[in-house]
Amino acid sequence: MKTTAGLATLGTAVYAGARLVSKTGTVAVRHVSGQERENGAMSDTVDVAHAELNSDGTVDRKIHTDYHDVFNPEETVIISDATHDSLTDRFDNIRYYLGHRCPNAKCSTPAVTRGAFNNSNLGETVKLVYHGSTATVVPV
């Protein structure tokens, strides 16, 4: 069975009950990876696309060689429905991550939904409501 990591927004009840585990910060990493299954167990993780905001404002971008014809390394990676379908055909599990820098708090790089990934830009301020290793993006 193929899965995509992330959580759907279930309404304001999710936000009200999770405020204590939410952190506001600047999006510093956008990352997409896929996992392949071999002999019934997860094996290789393939880093499909990675973009990281440096402290000087420049961006380091890496695109897996298999996806150079899909993504422009100079532009923000957006995962269209067609690209998502192509990724699910190849991988058993796809994960979308947002890393953010938080003032006066320790932040991490949780998995988010494809929609949250597509709608979050490097340098943008967002609030992430953590749910273990995943998070919901809340507009600030």
Side-chain angles (χ1 to χ4, degrees), residues 24-46:
T24 301
T26 303
V27 176
V29 174
R30 297 179 81 246
H31 184 87
V32 180
S33 66
Q35 284 185 310
E36 298 171 326
R37 190 175 294 275
E38 190 174 298
N39 297 326
M42 287 296 183
S43 60
D44 294 333
T45 297
V46 175

Side-chain angles (χ1 to χ4, degrees), residues 16 20 43 61 77 82 87 108 117:
L20 295 176
S43 60
R61 299 180 198 274
V77 169
L87 291 171
S108 65
F117 175 85

Side-chain angles (χ1 to χ4, degrees), residues 32-102:
V32 180
S33 66
Q35 284 185 310
E36 298 171 326
R37 190 175 294 275
E38 190 174 298
N39 297 326
M42 287 296 183
S43 60
D44 294 333
T45 297
V46 175
D47 295 328
V48 175
H50 180 90
E52 188 162 351
L53 181 64
N54 296 312
S55 59
D56 65 1
T58 60
V59 177
D60 291 332
R61 299 180 198 274
K62 296 178 185 168
I63 306 293
H64 190 279
T65 56
D66 291 351
Y67 295 94
H68 281 186
D69 62 334
V70 177
F71 304 118
N72 180 340
E74 300 304 316
E75 297 178 1
T76 298
V77 169
I78 301 295
I79 307 297
S80 67
D81 290 343
T83 301
H84 179 75
D85 290 345
S86 173
L87 291 171
T88 58
D89 286 345
R90 175 175 176 185
F91 299 109
D92 294 298
N93 187 18
I94 305 161
R95 295 188 62 94
Y96 301 99
Y97 296 98
L98 288 181
H100 69 314
R101 296 184 188 125
C102 303

